[in-house]
Amino acid sequence: MQQLTHVDQSGQAFMVNVSQKAVTTRQATATALLQTTSQVIQLIELQLVKKGDVLSTARLAGIMAAKQTSQLIPLCHPLPLSQVQVHFQLDQTKGQIRIQCCCKVTANTGVEMEAMTGVCVAALTLYDMVKAVDPALQISAVQLLEKQGGKSGLWLAPNVQKETADA
């Protein structure tokens, strides 16, 4: 069984020393799902939400959050992100928004937490922007889809591997 990387022999949390790791280009992509109604999706698409441009606001919030991850998550290393992208896929029929955040860095540690933080804050911002119209909306299916770079190379979430293999 693998050991937790941020806990020492006595069970105390600590920041991992990454100074000996190779500096490589690393990338991570995370996703989340916002479930609402088809009417809310239509309001967003037509930019009729009273608070303003929902998708642009959520995109900026996700980017800003990814950049601030080390200030939000106690043991994360501050990283000089070279790129953060936040994308939305709206499905009016299902009343869903699929949110994706991809972060890239050239560093000696990965960017999984930045991608996860970015996608979560983008989802929370969407929630905040449309909660007056649909107080029952839900955020779910937050997960890391893939990461690459560093010693471990490419890693894909099991459901992504299956989809890739079936294609």
Side-chain angles (χ1 to χ4, degrees), residues 58 77 107 120 127 136:
H77 294 83
C120 286
Y127 184 99

Side-chain angles (χ1 to χ4, degrees), residues 46-65:
L46 297 173
Q47 294 192 3
L48 296 175
V49 176
K50 289 183 182 180
K51 284 192 171 186
D53 185 344
V54 172
L55 298 179
S56 291
T57 304
R59 179 175 292 110
L60 286 174
I63 293 168
M64 291 172 64

Side-chain angles (χ1 to χ4, degrees), residues 132-155:
V133 182
D134 180 12
L137 59 91
Q138 297 177 356
I139 298 169
S140 65
V142 176
Q143 74 173 79
L144 184 67
L145 287 181
E146 71 173 80
K147 66 176 188 160
Q148 51 188 319
K151 185 173 70 172
S152 56
L154 176 64
W155 176 88

Side-chain angles (χ1 to χ4, degrees), residues 27-96:
Q27 182 173 316
T29 303
T31 188
L33 183 68
L34 185 121
Q35 182 65 55
T36 185
T37 66
S38 57
Q39 293 83 6
V40 170
I41 300 299
Q42 186 176 24
L43 288 174
I44 292 169
E45 289 177 329
L46 297 173
Q47 294 192 3
L48 296 175
V49 176
K50 289 183 182 180
K51 284 192 171 186
D53 185 344
V54 172
L55 298 179
S56 291
T57 304
R59 179 175 292 110
L60 286 174
I63 293 168
M64 291 172 64
K67 292 168 55 174
Q68 298 299 316
T69 298
S70 68
Q71 293 181 17
L72 299 169
I73 310 295
L75 301 176
C76 285
H77 294 83
L79 293 176
L81 295 174
S82 53
Q83 185 177 40
V84 179
Q85 295 180 317
V86 178
H87 300 286
F88 305 100
Q89 183 179 40
L90 284 69
D91 185 331
Q92 188 173 353
T93 306
K94 294 180 180 177
Q96 295 179 340

